[in-house]
Amino acid sequence: QCVLTGHWINDLGSNMTIAAVNGKGDFSGSYHTAVTATSNEIQVSPLQGSQHRLNQKGQPTFGFTVNWSFSDSVTVFTGQCFVDENGKEILKTMWLLRSRVDNIKNDWKATR
């Protein structure tokens, strides 16, 4: 069974901590990125998320939002928690980052 609660590190060295998942599937935590496109000093940032709790196979889908403390950006992640053949828990995610732009004419370059 895959459990989201705990400390996770990705291939780039970013890390996050997820606190307990409540009965509704909601959770919170923190994210410390190792990569950024800004020159601002990287800071630990809060995250809020939700896990699909009706998954009977123990490999739940989930999503969370990180509100970056050091920039005018927000990232949303969505993914699934897997258990590999060796019993290791692995999160596979996709993300979208939205940066603030000065006007609607620059909207095209605001989402990665």
Side-chain angles (χ1 to χ4, degrees):
Q1 182 156 353
C2 200
V3 179
L4 292 179
T5 302
H7 187 74
W8 299 90
I9 301 172
N10 73 10
D11 297 341
L12 299 175
S14 298
N15 63 79
M16 74 173 176
T17 301
I18 296 178
V21 179
N22 71 19
K24 293 180 181 180
D26 299 330
F27 59 87
S28 61
S30 60
Y31 198 101
H32 189 250
T33 186
V35 294
T36 183
T38 179
S39 59
N40 297 342
E41 180 182 349
I42 294 174
Q43 298 174 14
V44 175
S45 300
L47 70 81
Q48 293 287 326
S50 184
Q51 169 187 312
H52 194 275
R53 58 187 179 85
L54 299 177
N55 185 315
Q56 300 301 315
K57 298 189 190 303
Q59 298 189 124
T61 55
F62 61 89
F64 61 90
T65 301
V66 178
N67 185 0
W68 300 110
S69 300
F70 57 92
S71 72
D72 291 340
S73 302
V74 173
T75 301
V76 292
F77 292 79
T78 186
Q80 186 171 353
C81 189
F82 292 99
V83 178
D84 72 10
E85 60 275 357
N86 299 317
K88 182 180 178 182
E89 295 173 321
I90 298 171
L91 302 183
K92 295 300 268 183
T93 63
M94 297 288 290
W95 55 265
L96 283 173
L97 173 113
R98 177 65 188 213
S99 299
R100 190 189 70 76
V101 290
D102 291 330
N103 59 60
I104 198 166
K105 291 178 185 176
N106 290 325
D107 181 64
W108 65 272
K109 65 180 181 178
T111 302
R112 299 178 205 212

